[in-house]
Amino acid sequence: MTEKKAYPLRISAIVLDAMQRWSNDELRSLNAQIEFVLREALRESGRLKPAPKAHPLKDDPH
């Protein structure tokens, strides 16, 4: 699991309200939705590598 860091975010009320509605629709917390949207934007712009996929045999305990 990656390290999480706290960061105070100043955001307009309009954007925050829209993000809250979106997070409610997606059944995510507001924080998780903001992180999801940022991560997707970073991936689409090529600024974030995709998370490595786990090897299927290594994760199987049997």
Side-chain angles (χ1 to χ4, degrees):
M1 181 154 190
T2 61
E3 176 186 357
K4 298 278 184 169
K5 293 185 177 185
Y7 181 81
L9 176 65
R10 291 192 238 305
I11 189 169
S12 75
I14 293 169
V15 172
L16 185 62
D17 289 344
M19 289 300 297
Q20 183 65 67
R21 287 191 306 274
W22 192 5
S23 70
N24 292 345
D25 292 346
E26 299 286 326
L27 302 175
R28 289 189 181 102
S29 70
L30 177 58
N31 188 73
Q33 186 69 17
I34 291 170
E35 186 172 356
F36 174 79
V37 170
L38 287 172
R39 187 177 301 277
E40 288 299 304
L42 288 166
R43 277 194 195 117
E44 287 177 11
S45 69
R47 296 179 184 269
L48 183 67
K49 294 179 182 177
K53 293 185 180 181
H55 190 281
L57 296 179
K58 288 184 181 179
D59 291 341
D60 187 4
H62 302 345

